[in-house]
Structure formats: C-alpha cells, structure tokens
Amino acid sequence: MEKDTTSKPEGQDTTPAAALGAKRGRWAFMHSSAAAASPQVWRSRISWRIALTVFATLLFVQGAVLLFTIRHYESERLDSLRALANAGIAGALNHDAGKAAPIGAGEAEHLLSNTEIIGISVFGEDAKPLQQFGEKPALAPAGKADIAAAVRSADGMNYEVMFTPHDHGVPYYIVARVDSSAVERQISEQIRKTVTILLLMSGFVTAVMMLALGQWLLEPIMLLRTNLLNAAKNPEKPEIFRMKRETRDEIGIAIRIANDLIRQNANNLKRLRSQAEDKIHKLAYFDALTGLPNRTYFLEKLDDHIRHKVVEEDRRIAVMSVDLDHFKDINDTMGHEFGDKLLEAIGRRLVKALPEDSVISRASADEFTLMVVLKPEYPDSSILVDRIFHAMTEPVSILQERFQVRVSIGVAHCPDDGMEARQILKNADIALNRAKEEGRDTVRYYSQDFDLAVQQRFQLLRDLRSALDENQLQLHFHPQFDLRTGQLIGAEALLRWWLPDNSREGGYFVSPAEFIPVAEQSGLIVPIGQWVLKTACAANKKWQEQGIAPFRIAVNISGVQFHKADIVTLVADVLKDTKLDPKYLELEVTESVFMENMQTTIDILNQLHRQGVELAVDDFGTGYSSLSYLRQFPIDRLKIDQSFIRNALVNPDDRMITKTIISLGHSLGLKVIAEGVETNDHENFLKEEGCDEVQGFKYTKPLNMDKFVEFVVNHNREFAKKTKFAVVDEKKA
Ligand code: C2E
Ligand code: MG
Ligand code: MG
C-alpha cells in the first residue's frame, strides 16, 4: 500500500487541515474528522443505495399524492365550467318561445361572444335536434334516457355538458360546448409547481439523511474498514485511526474492540517475530556449545571493524587463530563429553585472557578465532599471545581429571596482511598451520612467504601424485645396532623422493618431513605406504637370499595408514607375497596413533602381533605421554625421539627424560632404541644408561640400497673380525 505520509494514526494530531492535505480524498477519511469523512460518504456504494431508495420512495409517495390532488383540481375546474354553462343557458332560455326555438338567436349570440360557451345544440325530448348555435358539440342525447352527461375532447381544449329536461324544467336536452383550454393550462402549471417542490423536498430530505447516516454510520464503518485493511496489509505495524468524536453506540464499541484486537495482534506478532529473530540470530551467529559467536559472525564483525577502526580511525587489528593441539586425540581417548567440556573451558579462558572489546569466536571444532583492536595498552599482538599462552598454563580440571592443554596460534594483522576479512582470516590460518607444522604449542606470525609456501605445497602435491607412477620414490636404509655388542641388528627403511629438475644434478631429494604430511593429508600415503612396505620386505628377503645375515627391517607406518587403511591385511599379504619371516619386520608407529581410538588400536596391534611382526613406538616422549597406557599395548620396542638424545648432554631435562624412558621401557620388559646418535658422547651416555640399541649418523647416514648392502657386508666383516663370534654372511653380496 502506498504509504500516506500525511495521514496521522491514532494518538497523533489529526487536524482537518492535515486531512484535507491528505492524498486527494483516498485516505482522507482515515482522519477522524467529519469534514473529511463527508465526501467519502458520497463515494460509498452503500450511501448511494440508501440515497436512491429513500429518494425513490419519497418520489413514489409524493407522486401518488400529486396524482390525487391534480384529479381533484381538474374536476373542481370542470365543475365550475359546468356551473357557468348552466347559468348561461338558464339565462338564455325563453320559456315563452315556440317549441321549436327555446333559445333566441340574440341570447345565443350573446352567450357565444361573452362567455366560455362556444357552441350550443338544443334537442327535443325525443332527441330530435331543434336548434344549433356556434360550434356543433359532439355530445347528443341517446333516445329518451333522461341523463346528464359531460365529456372532454381528446385534446382537452373543450368540454361539453348536456343538460336534461329535468335540469332546467323545460322539455329539451341542451348541450353546451365550453372552451376548457384555460383549465388545461392551469393543470399543467399546477403539476410543474408541485413536481418542483416535491423534487426539492425529496432531495433535501435525502441529503440530510445521508449526512446523518454518514456521520453516525458510514464514517465509523469506513474507519473500521480502513483499520482492518491496514491491519491486514501490515499486521505488525498497522496504522490505526480513531473517531474524532467517539460514540458509545454499537458501532463506537465495535470500533474500540476491533482496534484493541488489531493492537493486540500486532503486539503478539511483534513479540513472536522478535523471538524468532533472536533464535535465528543465535543459530546463525552463535555456537551452541560455547555460546561464543561463530565464524559467520566473526567475519561480519571483522568487516565492520576494518571499515570503522582501520579505515576511519587508522587503527590496527590483530586476528588470531587458536587451535588446541591434539584435540582429536583427546576427544577420541577421553570421550566427547570431555572434549566438549574442554572446549567450553578454553572458550572461557580466552574470553578472560583478552580485552573486553575483543571478539572471540569458535570457528570450527577445535579452532577459535579472535580479533583485537590494538591499543596503546597492548600495541603489539605478542602481548596478547603471551596472555593466551599464560591462560593455558594452569591445567584444566574436567570430570575429576586434570588436563594440560597446549595451543598453537597463528596471527595476522590488518591492514598489514590484508584489508579483506576472509583474506586476513585465511592468513591467520596459514600462520596457524605453520605453527602446528613447526612443533605445535607455539605461535607464528603471518608472513607473505607463507603464501609462497602454500603454493609450493600445492605444487608438491601435484608432483607427488605422479611420483609413484614415475618411479621417483626410493627407499634408503638406516642401520640399527646392538649398543652392547655393536652388531647390526636391523635397519629403518626411510622413504626418499627424487624429484627431477633442470639443475646440474638432474633433480633433488625432497625430505620426507616435507612430503609425508602432504601425502597424509591427501590420502596418497596409503598407496605410498603399500609400496614402502612391499619394497622394504622384498629387499630384506632378497638380502637374506643373497646370504647376508638376517636382520629386521623397520618400516614407518603413518597414522592415516593405520586407521584409514586395512593395515592388518596389507601386512599379511605383503609377508605372504615376499615370503619374509614376520620376525624380520618391525612396524614403527608414533605415539599419537596409539592415542586415537584406543580400543581399535589395541585390536589392530594385537592382530599384527599375532602375525609375528614386531612393533615399535617411534619418536617416543614427544606425544601426549600418558605412560600408563603403554602396558595395554602389545609393543616390543620404544624408540626414544632424537631430540632428547641430541640435547641429553646439554639439557638436564632431556637427560632425565632419556633415563626415565630407558628404565620405564625396561620395567615393562621392552627394548629401548635411541635414534639420532651422532657422537661418541651420545653413545657413551646411552651405554651408561643401559640403552639396548642405537641408530644414528654416528654410524652412517641413511644409504641407498646398493650402498647399504655394501655397508652391511663391510660392517659384518669387521664385526666378525672384532668379535670371535662369526656372524658371517654366508655368501658375498
Ligand atoms: P623417523 O621415523 O623418526 O625417522 C628418523 C629420521 O631421523 C630420519 O629422517 C633419519 O634420517 C633421521 N635421523 C636418524 N638418525 C639421525 C641422526 O643421528 N642425526 C640426524 N640429524 N638425523 C637422524 P628422515 O629420513 O628425513 O625421515 C623423517 C621422517 O619421515 C621419519 O621420522 C618418518 O616419520 C618419516 N618417514 C620416513 N620414511 C617414511 C615412510 O616410509 N613412511 C612413513 N609413514 N613415514 C616415513
Ligand atoms: Mg621412524
Ligand atoms: Mg623417529
């Protein structure tokens, strides 16, 4: 509906002037003034119907009255003509004249010229015509009937009356023709006057009645109709009008009730709508678990901040992505209820740690995004980052468990790292990924080099897809020794990717640390892992067949392979195909793999163990070491992470950890192997602590197949020489 800006709803001033100014009458009646309502009355159909009915009824009644009065008037006029004729004839009758001429010619002439009589016929009692003067009347006596008659001509111009012998006491019938044209004129004059008066009266009565109806009936009904229409068109904010003079009659009460209902309905609708809006807003913008805003809200708010704080006020915004380290593992081992509670607790801590006007949202399962407008009190985001780390130092207590939470943080700034909300958030995420890749529990600030790194990663993934088909993958082998005797007891198979390029060398090795995560994320690790296992087992079998003293080959199994592919069947198939004795195969699995789906993991490990293969925990000491779980797993070996060995001689903590792992392993009946042994000092320290086995650059770097075989043969030869034990290869390779 076209909104009438000049019309004033209830409660506001509704002056007639305003009403007249309202859109040319269409909505004018909405104003509670009779002046404005009256023109509307004439437009209403019902008004016209009533008016016409009243008018027609009045006309009909008055018409009937008129008809009666005119007839009466006419007969009066004719009667007087008759009397006139009667008198004239009576005066002209000559009682003494002969029977043939009762009216003298002179008297007749006198009558014709001085009265309205224009013709006279005289008949005898036998109806025989006796005399005739002037115009001849059409009326004549019929036989002997003594009747008086009168007749008017069709045009009403003359009137003929017949006098019988009885009328004048003479034996004649006398017919007089009288000029009645005057009567005719008088009658039409009379009719004209009366009709005019009647019309005026009817019109006046109708108009008065219409005004009264308009005021008391139509105007209120129109107002009610308008209010109802307005309510139908805009139920939440209807324009409601009130009568200027409110009446206490039936219609006045009806209007008040209707207005109350419309208002009530509007209020209800408004309330319902605002409730629904609140709910939709909550669903659309807030996370149900933590009650924090979600990513959508965050992006909108960031947009807003960029426009107002950065562009207008020239401020800087820090955007941070915070991710709980190993949340998935926590969720899987401790249960979802625990995970939920943990997220809530972290959300609360973040809110507490950051300035009040920060926006803290939960962006995805275990990722929080934060934005803080930097101020003189905290001009640098590193202060905020410290606060976050500090907030996480105290372990979280949930369901009677105390839990140490670690987070990784990625930071990007606006305007430094972009002026577009999504871009800045993406950059913070890139920085976060960096932080996670680089050891977690740390922070990284976005730098443009990261973008390049991301692109390189995509390129890497494209290249990796073809690497398998194009035989660019190969295995290198890193020998393992018995620390006490120095005997070669195994080798770890390490994947190498030779990526050809246009350089002088014809290509370069891509580090597994670089491409294994990409392979894991893309799922390519599954076929690659199959290839590694098959190749490693086949190589080991071949060496044994070549007569080299048998040793076990250790193959790294990634978490993705362990949980997403059927590792049990794969191992069984490979062992069957290569005919390698299972005891010469060891699978290295990292700690985090153990933490995921504990029960399934135990089942899988048991099945593998039953096949006869050995199991080692790789990089031991770096994960979420809840050491108590170790007992439940059917494992044979702990492999101390090289970082501890590297630092054992300079850092007392690492020294302590190494010692503890060794004694813990032994107390559980496990072998302990140390990797990253680079120096004599490392070796001596491990010997002192009673470590069983070693692997490291001190002995050799990982070697390609040919060099490795050469190394093994030499080593075994030397070993045989050094010891009296003959661990001699049966045949020369
Ligand atoms: P990892 O299983 O802990 O392997 C040991 C890594 O430490 C190897 O690096 C090895 O060359 C290196 N290393 C051993 N001793 C020393 C030492 O004394 N000094 C130094 N500086 N380094 C030493 P590499 O070959 O780069 O492998 C890195 C990681 O890549 C491996 O860590 C493993 O997690 C992964 N990886 C390698 N091959 C495979 C594979 O076939 N499958 C899977 N799933 N992961 C693999
Ligand atoms: Mg390993
Ligand atoms: Mg390792």
Side-chain angles (χ1 to χ4, degrees), residues 487-562:
Q487 187 184 355
L488 188 146
I489 41 112
E492 180 177 8
L494 294 165
L495 187 56
R496 293 290 176 266
W497 177 14
W498 177 254
L499 191 58
D501 66 7
N502 303 328
S503 66
R504 202 139 44 92
E505 295 76 24
Y508 62 99
F509 277 116
V510 185
S511 159
E514 208 177 308
F515 72 84
I516 293 289
V518 177
E520 281 179 335
Q521 278 168 18
S522 61
L524 272 179
I525 193 69
V526 176
I528 290 177
Q530 284 177 356
W531 178 86
V532 170
L533 187 68
K534 209 179 234 165
T535 312
C537 290
N540 202 14
K541 181 72 186 173
K542 192 176 92 188
W543 298 326
Q544 291 177 8
E545 285 171 354
Q546 283 172 351
I548 296 174
F551 52 85
R552 59 167 201 267
I553 185 91
V555 174
N556 293 288
I557 303 292
S558 111
V560 178
Q561 264 178 294
F562 201 85

Side-chain angles (χ1 to χ4, degrees), residues 475 478 492-496 511-513 515-516 520 525 528-529 532 555-559 561 588 590 618-619 639 641-642 646 675-678 695-698 700 702:
L475 286 184
H478 206 200
E492 180 177 8
L494 294 165
L495 187 56
R496 293 290 176 266
S511 159
F515 72 84
I516 293 289
E520 281 179 335
I525 193 69
I528 290 177
V532 170
V555 174
N556 293 288
I557 303 292
S558 111
Q561 264 178 294
E588 284 188 14
T590 56
D618 201 359
D619 304 340
K639 200 169 183 186
D641 189 69
Q642 47 179 299
R646 194 176 311 133
E675 67 180 324
V677 182
E678 293 188 351
Q695 173 186 341
F697 288 4
K698 176 187 181 298
T700 171

Side-chain angles (χ1 to χ4, degrees), residues 84 88 92 103-120 133-135 177-179:
L84 192 132
I103 296 176
E107 283 79 5
E109 194 55 36
H110 177 79
L111 278 181
L112 291 180
S113 52
N114 293 319
T115 66
E116 266 91 357
I117 298 171
I118 48 173
I120 304 169
F133 307 99
E135 290 178 18
R177 174 178 264 213
V178 188
D179 178 2

Side-chain angles (χ1 to χ4, degrees), residues 351-364:
V351 171
K352 226 170 131 189
L354 293 177
E356 230 171 77
D357 56 354
S358 323
V359 181
I360 294 150
S361 81
R362 182 174 170 221
S364 64

Side-chain angles (χ1 to χ4, degrees), residues 149-285:
V151 77
R152 248 186 124 192
S153 66
D155 58 4
M157 295 311 261
N158 44 62
Y159 181 54
E160 293 175 8
V161 270
M162 179 154 60
F163 300 102
T164 59
H166 173 77
D167 289 327
H168 290 117
V170 288
Y172 307 109
Y173 287 99
I174 302 169
V175 177
R177 174 178 264 213
V178 188
D179 178 2
S180 65
S181 60
V183 174
E184 193 60 24
R185 259 197 325 279
Q186 283 162 349
I187 288 176
S188 24
E189 180 62 18
Q190 185 70 10
I191 290 179
R192 222 184 60 239
K193 264 198 248 160
T194 319
V195 165
T196 309
I197 291 169
L198 290 187
L199 282 176
L200 283 175
M201 253 168 68
S202 304
F204 179 72
V205 170
T206 310
V208 169
M209 207 178 116
M210 287 300 290
L211 284 179
L213 273 180
Q215 180 69 29
W216 296 318
L217 199 67
L218 288 170
E219 189 195 346
I221 288 178
M222 294 297 220
L223 184 122
L224 188 61
R225 174 175 170 268
T226 306
N227 284 353
L228 290 173
L229 280 176
N230 284 354
K233 274 181 194 149
N234 189 357
E236 268 181 55
K237 271 194 200 153
E239 278 183 300
I240 310 177
F241 296 89
R242 246 177 11 192
M243 298 296 298
K244 191 170 190 182
R245 279 178 297 279
E246 287 196 354
T247 53
R248 293 192 161 272
D249 54 22
E250 295 81 347
I251 291 201
I253 291 169
I255 288 180
R256 227 166 310 141
I257 294 175
N259 284 356
D260 284 350
L261 284 178
I262 291 172
R263 244 190 312 264
Q264 245 174 44
N265 185 48
N267 288 340
N268 286 346
L269 285 177
K270 257 182 260 167
R271 209 187 50 243
L272 284 178
R273 217 224 353 208
S274 91
Q275 279 171 357
E277 274 172 1
D278 271 5
K279 203 164 178 185
I280 290 170
H281 187 263
K282 274 232 164 72
L283 284 177
Y285 286 109

Side-chain angles (χ1 to χ4, degrees), residues 114 287 406 544 628:
N114 293 319
D287 164 47
R406 295 197 180 92
Q544 291 177 8
S628 56

Side-chain angles (χ1 to χ4, degrees), residues 595-614:
M595 301 301 293
E596 226 174 290
N597 287 326
M598 193 104 75
Q599 196 47 52
T600 347
T601 308
I602 294 177
D603 288 348
I604 296 174
L605 290 175
N606 275 326
Q607 290 178 53
L608 290 170
H609 218 233
R610 273 201 295 273
Q611 291 186 27
V613 298
E614 304 227 321

Side-chain angles (χ1 to χ4, degrees), residues 24-142:
R24 305 292 144 213
R26 184 163 173 215
W27 298 107
F29 64 91
M30 295 199 294
H31 301 275
S32 43
S33 97
S38 308
Q40 199 60 34
V41 167
W42 301 115
R43 284 159 180 262
S44 115
R45 273 191 238 170
I46 193 165
S47 307
W48 275 111
R49 232 175 282 154
I50 293 176
L52 286 177
T53 314
V54 169
F55 192 70
T57 312
L58 284 174
L59 276 189
F60 178 76
V61 172
Q62 291 175 340
V65 172
L66 175 74
L67 209 66
F68 176 75
T69 26
I70 290 299
R71 285 228 170 282
H72 183 71
Y73 179 79
E74 186 186 19
S75 71
E76 252 179 26
R77 300 305 303 148
L78 291 177
D79 281 354
S80 69
L81 278 185
R82 182 190 171 88
L84 192 132
N86 192 18
I89 285 180
L93 270 181
N94 186 355
H95 292 274
D96 305 327
K99 270 195 175 183
I103 296 176
E107 283 79 5
E109 194 55 36
H110 177 79
L111 278 181
L112 291 180
S113 52
N114 293 319
T115 66
E116 266 91 357
I117 298 171
I118 48 173
I120 304 169
S121 296
V122 182
F123 300 89
E125 272 183 309
D126 52 358
K128 264 198 185 132
L130 300 178
Q131 283 184 296
Q132 162 66 45
F133 307 99
E135 290 178 18
K136 186 180 180 205
L139 199 61

